[in-house]
Amino acid sequence: RQEAQRRLHAAEAHIDDLQSRCDASSSSLRMAQAQGEAAQRDLWQARQHAEDEGRSLAEERGRLSADLARCRSELGDARSHSQQEQLQASQLQQQCERMAADVQAE
């Protein structure tokens, strides 16, 4: 009878130990799941931020490309205008030289 009680107490102690381990494991598992969910939320937010940044950069690139095209066009126009002014200045100088030569010839 005492041997049976001793075994019963030993079995109960073993069951209590296993229950404690199970509870600790369950607690650790819940904590790990919560950390995993938090990491997934952080990852989702980081992805959203990266996508937003990508869209912003693409929009900015489009604006910069349009600005560059406009600047190139304006530069081409300015160069053409400058060449025309240089040609006119050269023609005026030649005309002045001819007029000066004509005046000296008279």
Side-chain angles (χ1 to χ4, degrees), residues 87-102:
L87 179 61
Q88 288 175 351
S90 176
Q91 289 172 346
L92 285 173
Q93 183 177 0
Q94 289 174 359
Q95 186 179 7
C96 285
E97 288 172 358
R98 279 194 304 270
M99 289 173 73
D102 289 347

Side-chain angles (χ1 to χ4, degrees), residues 25-62:
S25 294
S26 294
S27 176
S28 295
L29 177 60
R30 283 191 297 276
M31 192 180 329
Q33 286 174 328
Q35 289 173 345
E37 290 168 0
Q40 285 179 338
R41 282 191 302 275
D42 291 346
L43 179 60
W44 181 82
Q45 289 174 347
R47 283 182 180 160
Q48 290 301 115
H49 181 71
E51 288 174 6
D52 292 344
E53 286 294 316
R55 279 190 291 275
S56 294
L57 289 173
E59 291 170 3
E60 186 62 22
R61 182 180 182 185

